[in-house]
Amino acid sequence: MQEVIHAEGHENVSAEHVSTFEVTTDDFLTPAGDCILGIEADRAPADFDPEFVAACQHEEATITATFETENYSETVTGRGDPDLTFESDRSAVGRTSDYVDDRTILVGAEFAAEGFDRELVSALAEGAELTVTLTVERDE
């Protein structure tokens, strides 16, 4: 199962955060938002299909987030959690930790914003269009 989010880069994309990455529906980004990779997202977790959400609420679920611009692609994998609610109507956040709030889309990510390819980050800082594809798989 998949969910797709379309967003845009911004001149303040720095991708320096050590424990999270984020895409937001906000239309602005300050330098303090060092986990944010894309703004003006066309969807938020609250928009996701209930079946997708249910699949992500299993500890055995593997959730993959693929970030793509015209010339670059980066994939980060994490896992699901029974506490994931996908209720945020504003932001989608991936975490390296086990912390969960209404914005969390995956936990136990293999890396955070600081681990993203610097060429991808540069493209986003130049305003590149971003497609984020979330895929959930579960071992039965």
Side-chain angles (χ1 to χ4, degrees):
M1 258 182 276
Q2 288 188 335
E3 291 287 347
V4 178
I5 302 169
H6 298 280
E8 297 179 10
H10 184 276
E11 64 185 17
N12 288 329
V13 169
S14 64
E16 294 175 348
H17 204 275
V18 299
S19 63
T20 64
F21 57 83
E22 178 177 344
V23 176
T24 182
T25 60
D26 290 348
D27 62 358
F28 64 92
L29 175 59
T30 68
D34 62 354
C35 67
I36 296 175
L37 298 166
I39 65 169
E40 295 192 58
D42 63 350
R43 304 178 72 222
D47 301 316
F48 294 173
D49 186 289
E51 284 187 38
F52 180 87
V53 172
C56 292
Q57 291 172 328
H58 291 274
E59 289 178 356
E60 317 85 49
T62 298
I63 304 170
T64 304
T66 303
F67 291 76
E68 296 175 287
T69 63
E70 184 177 354
N71 297 313
Y72 304 101
S73 179
E74 181 82 65
T75 299
V76 57
T77 300
R79 67 180 187 285
D81 188 281
D83 293 330
L84 292 174
T85 65
F86 291 83
E87 292 176 346
S88 176
D89 60 5
R90 189 169 160 202
S91 300
V93 179
R95 303 179 186 281
T96 58
S97 70
D98 292 330
Y99 177 79
V100 173
D101 67 12
D102 68 333
R103 305 176 311 147
T104 308
I105 57 169
L106 61 86
V107 295
E110 52 193 347
F111 55 86
E114 72 168 357
F116 277 75
D117 180 276
R118 293 293 107 182
E119 290 183 356
L120 171 65
V121 173
S122 291
L124 292 171
E126 292 172 9
E129 291 184 15
L130 175 65
T131 300
V132 181
T133 304
L134 299 171
T135 305
V136 61
E137 298 173 341
R138 196 173 111 209
D139 292 334
E140 297 291 338

